[in-house]
Amino acid sequence: MSDEKTRSGCPFTQGDLGGEDLAPAGERLTYNSYLKVPQLLELQNFESSPPAHDELLFIIIHQAYELWFKLILFELDQVAEEMEKGAVHEAWRLLQRVLKIETLLVQQIHVLETMTPSDFLKFRQALNPASGFQSIQFREVEFLTGIRDTSVMQHIDQTDHDHRRLTARLSEPSLRTRFYKLLQREGFDVVVPEEGEVLEGARREQTMAALEPLYREPKERFHLYTLAESLVEHDQNILLWRFHHVRVVERLIGTKPGTGGSSGVEYLSSTLKKRAYPILWEVRGRLYDDGVYGMG
């Protein structure tokens, strides 16, 4: 494949598209070589001995999650850049892709329910002390979104590379910060909260009051309104994923502790209170049944 074709990002040769390709077969890019399929299929290694039938399902489900997390981070990083540029529509458009992926992630977890609790127990101890709690990419999604519970850093086994990634996420503005700064540039008298801060008192009231017009008359600033609502939906999808995850875990292990040393379902249930955009959730509470906003 020529350098020009490589730079263009096109993964196919002319022959793949139906035209004549005279290049030797050994030099042609194929579906398998482009996607690294042989290498990908070598990454599912059993820890149980003898191998438990359902361990392959468990591995593939979670490997697929990590691939989707990689794409979510890739897209959210671009959303952040678009917000910085004031490209509201493009930020919204890319968020729609993230929302579709997140819907898929909620559905995907229920494939694990095809295991019986006894099937899971055949290989669960082989996983110890590994735990989904240790997913570095999921923590990156949280930090980038604006959910910054830094205490998790003390409980995750991290390589130096992992630590650098998480620390870098904590050092950069979250999507929440970027969105409030975008609102300020667009003329809204909102307070930009510190990372991890929950606005209270006069600062909270100022921001709620500034956001009321956006929700009272969404058609007046429709791109900003739809971006705000997409961020709320992103927040909601993380919450839904957590909720469905808790229920699946409860069906499989009941009240047993988690393999990573957590309290299991009890710990997972405690995460259901996390919100990245509490003010955006709350401001709609000022809308009365007749569509008029008030201070009640």
Side-chain angles (χ1 to χ4, degrees), residues 183-245:
L183 288 173
Q184 283 186 339
R185 295 195 301 270
E186 293 290 330
F188 291 84
D189 187 27
V190 297
V191 174
V192 179
E194 298 293 328
E195 296 295 355
E197 178 189 8
V198 177
L199 291 178
E200 296 179 345
R203 288 157 56 82
R204 176 183 179 277
E205 184 55 39
Q206 175 184 336
T207 301
M208 292 278 279
L211 285 170
E212 281 187 29
L214 187 64
Y215 278 80
R216 183 172 61 245
E217 295 292 343
K219 63 183 179 181
E220 297 299 324
R221 306 294 294 275
F222 193 65
H223 285 340
L224 277 174
Y225 170 76
T226 54
L227 179 57
E229 285 298 276
S230 293
L231 290 170
V232 170
E233 189 172 352
H234 171 53
D235 211 9
Q236 175 177 281
N237 283 347
I238 294 175
L239 174 63
L240 287 172
W241 184 85
R242 293 187 201 274
F243 176 82
H244 285 263
H245 183 213

Side-chain angles (χ1 to χ4, degrees), residues 36-284:
K36 305 295 187 292
V37 173
Q39 296 92 322
L40 185 64
L41 297 183
E42 289 292 323
L43 298 178
Q44 294 74 47
N45 300 309
F46 289 75
E47 291 293 331
S48 57
S49 181
H53 177 83
D54 283 354
E55 189 176 357
L56 182 61
L57 166 67
F58 189 86
I59 292 170
I60 289 176
I61 287 286
H62 288 84
Q63 286 182 341
Y65 270 123
E66 292 299 329
L67 288 173
W68 285 123
F69 290 158
K70 180 175 183 177
L71 183 56
I72 287 173
L73 288 167
F74 179 77
E75 300 298 349
L76 290 182
D77 279 332
Q78 190 62 41
V79 169
E81 288 190 26
E82 299 302 331
M83 283 191 194
E84 289 290 339
K85 294 187 294 187
V88 178
H89 181 268
E90 184 65 6
W92 169 85
R93 187 185 71 82
L94 293 174
L95 262 178
Q96 302 316 296
R97 180 177 299 166
V98 172
L99 299 179
K100 293 291 187 184
I101 295 168
E102 290 168 343
T103 299
L104 177 62
L105 296 187
V106 172
Q107 297 170 342
Q108 176 178 302
I109 198 167
H110 290 286
V111 180
L112 290 173
E113 293 177 329
T114 62
M115 288 192 295
T116 67
S118 60
D119 288 333
F120 184 41
L121 291 177
K122 290 176 182 176
F123 65 91
R124 182 173 184 255
Q125 281 306 311
L127 307 179
N128 195 49
S131 169
F133 180 86
Q134 300 163 350
S135 171
I136 301 300
Q137 288 196 118
F138 181 70
R139 297 305 171 190
E140 286 190 82
V141 171
E142 285 188 313
F143 292 169
L144 178 54
T145 297
I147 300 172
R148 297 210 167 172
D149 178 7
T150 55
S151 67
V152 301
M153 295 281 284
Q154 304 169 21
H155 305 289
I156 304 175
D157 289 335
Q158 305 166 53
T159 65
D160 290 342
H161 176 69
D162 294 337
H163 186 75
R164 287 194 297 270
R165 288 184 62 159
L166 292 177
T167 301
R169 290 294 179 188
L170 289 172
S171 68
E172 65 185 17
S174 67
L175 290 178
R176 184 178 77 158
T177 294
R178 294 174 193 268
F179 180 66
Y180 280 117
K181 287 185 176 180
L182 171 63
L183 288 173
Q184 283 186 339
R185 295 195 301 270
E186 293 290 330
F188 291 84
D189 187 27
V190 297
V191 174
V192 179
E194 298 293 328
E195 296 295 355
E197 178 189 8
V198 177
L199 291 178
E200 296 179 345
R203 288 157 56 82
R204 176 183 179 277
E205 184 55 39
Q206 175 184 336
T207 301
M208 292 278 279
L211 285 170
E212 281 187 29
L214 187 64
Y215 278 80
R216 183 172 61 245
E217 295 292 343
K219 63 183 179 181
E220 297 299 324
R221 306 294 294 275
F222 193 65
H223 285 340
L224 277 174
Y225 170 76
T226 54
L227 179 57
E229 285 298 276
S230 293
L231 290 170
V232 170
E233 189 172 352
H234 171 53
D235 211 9
Q236 175 177 281
N237 283 347
I238 294 175
L239 174 63
L240 287 172
W241 184 85
R242 293 187 201 274
F243 176 82
H244 285 263
H245 183 213
V246 173
R247 300 287 76 85
V248 170
V249 170
E250 189 172 17
R251 285 187 63 175
L252 289 174
I253 69 170
T255 58
K256 289 184 174 67
T259 51
S262 75
S263 57
V265 169
E266 181 182 354
Y267 162 74
L268 293 173
S269 295
S270 72
T271 67
L272 298 179
K273 300 176 182 178
K274 295 183 177 183
R275 298 284 192 284
Y277 309 100
I279 299 296
L280 293 181
W281 284 92
E282 292 172 27
V283 67
R284 67 203 69 232

